[in-house]
Amino acid sequence: MSPPASPATPLVQIASVEKIFHRGSEDVLVLADLNLTVPTGEFLALMGPSGSGKSTLLNLIGGLDRPTKGTVSIAGERVDRLSDRQLAGWRARHIGFVFQLYNLMPVLTAERNVELPLLLTSLTRAERKKHVATALAMVGLSHRAHHFPRTLSGGEQQRVGLARGIVTDPTLLLCDEPTGDLDRKSGDEILDLLQALNREHGKTIVMVTHDPHAAARATRTVHLDKGRLSTAAAP
Amino acid sequence: MKFLHLIWGNLVRKKIRTSLTLLSILVAFLLFGLLCAIKQALVGGVELAGVDRLVVRHKVSIIQLLPESYKARMEKIPGVDLAVHQTWFGGVYQDPKNFFMQTPVVPDEFMAMHPELLLPSAQAEAWKKTRTGAIVGRNTANRFNFKIGDKLPIQSPIWGQKTWEFDLVGIYDGREKGTDTTPLFFRYDYFDESRQEGRGQGLVGWYTVRVKNPADAAAVARLIDEEFANSPAETKAEPEGAFIQGWAGQIGNIALIVASILSAVFFTILLVTGSTMAQAVRERIGELGVLKALGFTNGQVLGLVLAESCLLSGLGGALGLGLAWLFTSRGDPTGGLLPLFYLPKTDLLLGVGLCLALGFLTGIFPALQATRLRVADALRRM
Ligand SMILES: Nc1ncnc2c1ncn2[C@@H]1O[C@H](COP(=O)(O)OP(=O)(O)OP(=O)(O)O)[C@@H](O)[C@H]1O
Ligand SMILES: [Mg+2]
């Protein structure tokens, strides 16, 4: 894992971002003149009502989508200006994703799922194996390496998802409601892991959540409502 | 190669659907192989026909006989190099099922006419010394396990009910893979003397004529027909290829029939495989979105889907063509009716080409659909 960088360096810089979706003839303004800075080493919780644009914002940070207006810079790179092809390579190098529904490949074992992002690197098979083993050990699932997702519990699947998210040691870990589908105990295990990643390995994390209990684990919480951010207390 | 797990896993995730699709592709390519072999058996002789050879038969039909004396008259016609005759013997070896052609010929001139039949010179010598001698092709020799020195009893209802007994003095091979090595040839002098009184002494079935210059073949054919015009036995001379085609033509335009059947089969298989692939990709939109989120490029996603469709077609095609190859390599399945039954290499290559085309065509549209997918949208469909 990367050494903790100076917490003062802003890793994510979002300036005057607007995002409009076109639905038929209708334009939906989801994000309006939004500004956000995430310093390196922060564990940021992003809260807000359903449909407020949390996932949309996360997608912009992760280079899965481009803003209609404004700039998105990650580690000094203008992500909003990259082509699809460049974005794909950039994501592979810099971003780890963890999804609410785990989104594992059902036809691959836990180990092979975790290995997927490494297939895009030039690592040898032996190196990949080593990285996968490390990531699985970190989430405490070494003993499940050869299991298929359908034979794992939700909490275990999400831990595999987390292992897949960190196996490339990404610059930034993005989690969209990682505990949204889990019971409290499994959710807490994931949150423990995220917190450990942030504290012990200095990983910068942006986590979307509905759950104030989850948000409490973060170092900072921001609220998104009607397309705007506020740091005010939760409703 | 490192993506093989993913490709293979996706291919076999719907086992029944994949097996059924695989089976249809297999059957299509098996059918392709067998039909190509049948087509080869029926019209393949045309390709091997000598360009410098004419076949001269009775104008009315092939079963009407021509005088043996025509040989000398034909050889006097300018442009004619050699004329040799054969006669349909229609004999039966033990059982009518054991069909193979037999004709009486004059050994020297017959072998001169047909350099594609390879007979060791010692055996050719033996044939000249043995009045009842016969030679047979490798195919038939293997089929009945004939050995040189065997006595072959053959019944011929056409030329007298008695059993003819031939001494096997030679076994010839074909120069080309497609050369027909089923017929048995025996001596005309023995035939003419031994056929029953009143069964066409001095008459023969048809002539093969070699012209000096293939470019003159049509003109020479006209001269031959003119030579015998207004005689009791008028002739029809045509290039050997056309003559063989005429035979096959009696069964219909084989190549066209085969091509139509195969087109229908491949159109069907294209739809079957295409819908399997389209469905496979549609079910997997979310997963493809995840791959893209992880950093797979459009090109890599396209490659994954194409690899899967090509693997599917490739497996089915290889199994089908393999089975067809196995089946046809055992030779004529009808016991003599289709002596040239084999799967030509060119058709096998065509099959491999079709197989690749099938994989590409059935994969490319779902694959393109997968690349057009916006990651954010795909993820919402997980
Ligand atoms: N591709 C799209 N096309 C059209 N509208 C979209 C698209 N993506 C998102 N939206 C709309 O943008 C708004 C914000 O969606 P988003 O998914 O970001 O919300 P969210 O805050 O993540 O909600 P939830 O908490 O339910 O996940 C919603 O009204 C949604 O319908
Ligand atoms: Mg969301």
Side-chain angles (χ1 to χ4, degrees):
Chain A
M1 297 288 143
S2 59
S6 147
T9 323
L11 182 61
V12 179
Q13 276 185 301
I14 291 178
S16 316
V17 156
E18 176 188 284
K19 181 66 186 180
I20 296 176
F21 285 113
H22 307 281
R23 215 181 285 156
S25 58
E26 203 188 335
D27 282 357
V28 188
L29 178 68
V30 178
L31 303 176
D33 194 23
L34 186 139
N35 296 286
L36 174 68
T37 304
V38 182
T40 300
E42 185 167 66
F43 180 2
L44 179 73
L46 183 58
M47 296 190 74
S50 186
S52 58
K54 302 181 299 293
S55 297
T56 304
L57 179 55
L58 205 67
N59 288 347
L60 291 181
I61 299 173
L64 295 179
D65 208 348
R66 292 192 190 82
T68 317
K69 265 192 208 150
T71 61
V72 177
S73 309
I74 313 288
E77 181 119 41
R78 278 291 297 276
V79 176
D80 53 297
R81 282 186 181 163
L82 297 180
S83 69
D84 280 0
R85 201 187 152 74
Q86 290 170 321
L87 268 181
W90 177 82
R91 283 196 299 271
R93 284 191 304 280
H94 293 292
I95 303 292
F97 284 103
V98 179
F99 306 94
Q100 178 177 354
L101 298 174
Y102 334 128
N103 292 14
L104 303 176
M105 301 293 132
V107 298
L108 298 180
T109 59
E111 187 180 58
R112 296 270 178 208
N113 264 290
V114 175
E115 189 191 20
L116 269 181
L118 295 178
L119 297 181
L120 303 172
T121 66
S122 54
L123 295 181
T124 65
R125 179 202 278 264
E127 288 168 329
R128 293 200 302 266
K129 229 178 150 59
K130 214 179 82 204
H131 283 74
V132 168
T134 309
L136 279 173
M138 282 182 75
V139 300
L141 273 186
S142 303
H143 60 300
R144 292 278 188 267
H146 302 293
H147 287 235
F148 284 91
R150 64 170 182 282
T151 66
L152 299 174
S153 72
E156 287 172 327
Q157 289 191 52
Q158 190 58 300
R159 283 194 272 159
V160 175
L162 184 55
R164 180 180 66 185
I166 59 173
V167 73
T168 54
D169 191 14
T171 316
L172 183 58
L173 184 62
L174 302 178
C175 314
D176 197 344
E177 301 187 38
T179 58
D181 237 46
L182 299 177
D183 58 37
R184 172 54 65 86
K185 182 172 167 293
S186 307
D188 278 343
E189 284 169 8
I190 296 292
L191 291 167
D192 289 343
L193 286 167
L194 288 175
Q195 216 165 14
L197 278 168
N198 173 248
R199 285 191 183 154
E200 289 155 33
H201 302 277
K203 190 84 0 207
T204 311
I205 303 175
V206 178
M207 172 178 75
V208 169
T209 182
H210 276 295
D211 180 6
H213 170 82
R217 303 293 200 101
T219 52
R220 180 162 70 113
T221 302
V222 291
H223 292 271
L224 186 61
D225 198 5
K226 305 208 173 68
R228 290 176 191 281
L229 278 180
S230 66
T231 36
Chain B
M1 261 303 120
K2 52 187 178 183
F3 297 109
L4 199 64
H5 278 95
L6 188 56
I7 298 166
W8 182 254
N10 281 326
L11 188 61
V12 300
R13 70 159 65 183
K14 291 274 154 80
K15 294 208 173 47
I16 297 187
R17 182 174 72 198
T18 303
S19 317
L20 290 178
T21 308
L22 205 62
L23 198 66
S24 353
I25 300 174
L26 186 157
V27 169
F29 278 93
L30 178 60
L31 193 63
F32 169 84
L34 296 184
L35 280 177
C36 284
I38 291 174
K39 182 199 71 179
Q40 182 65 23
L42 294 176
V43 305
V46 177
E47 294 156 22
L48 294 168
V51 289
D52 58 351
R53 291 199 293 241
L54 302 173
V55 172
V56 182
R57 61 168 173 87
H58 196 285
K59 192 175 180 181
V60 176
S61 90
I62 183 83
I63 59 170
Q64 310 272 335
L65 302 178
L66 296 171
E68 200 263 333
S69 58
Y70 278 14
K71 172 182 163 65
R73 286 173 66 186
M74 277 192 268
E75 283 177 346
K76 283 205 200 85
I77 294 173
V80 170
D81 183 37
L82 179 66
V84 308
H85 57 77
Q86 293 182 58
T87 309
W88 185 259
F89 188 63
V92 170
Y93 172 68
Q94 289 174 344
D95 186 306
K97 280 211 312 271
N98 297 341
F99 174 82
F100 57 92
M101 184 173 97
Q102 313 93 20
T103 64
V105 300
V106 180
D108 271 344
E109 55 181 49
F110 179 77
M111 294 313 286
M113 176 62 80
H114 292 282
E116 75 273 18
L117 307 183
L118 309 176
L119 184 69
S121 53
Q123 297 177 15
E125 281 309 308
W127 197 15
K128 273 193 259 176
K129 290 195 192 105
T130 318
R131 226 171 65 94
T132 54
I135 63 169
V136 74
R138 183 69 60 191
N139 188 322
T140 299
N142 288 347
R143 186 168 155 216
F144 300 106
N145 205 16
F146 289 157
K147 300 266 173 307
I148 291 175
D150 284 357
K151 287 202 180 300
L152 309 181
I154 296 187
Q155 320 264 346
S156 176
I158 307 178
W159 308 106
Q161 282 297 347
K162 70 162 186 160
T163 297
W164 296 62
E165 200 166 73
F166 301 107
D167 291 298
L168 190 60
V169 295
I171 294 173
Y172 63 88
D173 287 290
R175 196 176 52 191
E176 321 277 346
K177 173 157 179 135
T179 303
D180 183 4
T181 59
T182 58
L184 173 142
F185 302 107
F186 61 100
R187 281 171 54 160
Y188 176 75
D189 50 358
Y190 172 53
F191 169 70
D192 199 41
E193 287 164 25
S194 312
R195 57 178 150 180
Q196 226 171 52
E197 203 59 46
R199 301 225 180 187
Q201 267 70 15
L203 297 177
V204 298
W206 66 92
Y207 284 90
T208 306
V209 171
R210 185 163 63 214
V211 297
K212 287 178 178 142
N213 181 354
D216 298 337
V220 173
R222 226 173 8 255
L223 285 177
I224 292 174
D225 289 347
E226 277 166 17
E227 168 77 20
F228 304 110
N230 303 318
S231 77
E234 291 189 287
T235 60
K236 175 165 180 197
E238 57 190 343
E240 193 176 64
F243 177 76
I244 297 170
Q245 192 129 51
W247 270 115
Q250 295 176 350
I251 320 171
N253 189 337
I254 305 299
L256 185 69
I257 293 173
V258 166
S260 330
I261 297 177
L262 287 178
S263 306
V265 167
F266 277 98
F267 184 68
T268 313
I269 211 69
L270 201 63
L271 294 185
V272 169
T273 317
S275 93
T276 298
M277 281 311 296
Q279 215 175 329
V281 168
R282 215 175 312 118
E283 291 164 355
R284 219 183 288 153
I285 293 290
E287 288 172 32
L288 293 170
V290 172
L291 291 180
K292 285 196 184 187
L294 295 183
F296 280 66
T297 60
N298 281 337
Q300 284 166 325
V301 170
L302 184 93
L304 283 179
V305 176
L306 270 184
E308 188 178 331
S309 65
C310 287
L311 193 60
L312 181 65
S313 301
L315 273 180
L319 287 173
L321 288 175
L323 280 180
W325 177 260
L326 268 184
F327 187 79
T328 54
S329 64
R330 288 175 28 230
D332 181 6
T334 61
L337 289 175
L338 299 171
L340 295 184
F341 186 85
Y342 72 97
L343 183 55
K345 284 223 171 52
T346 51
D347 285 333
L348 197 64
L349 283 179
L350 179 66
V352 171
L354 278 173
C355 183
L356 291 178
L358 180 70
F360 181 78
L361 281 178
T362 54
I364 190 67
F365 296 106
L368 284 175
Q369 187 198 348
T371 62
R372 276 195 298 267
L373 210 63
R374 292 183 57 257
V375 195
D377 294 339
L379 285 174
R380 296 167 79 88
R381 283 157 73 175
M382 195 64 192

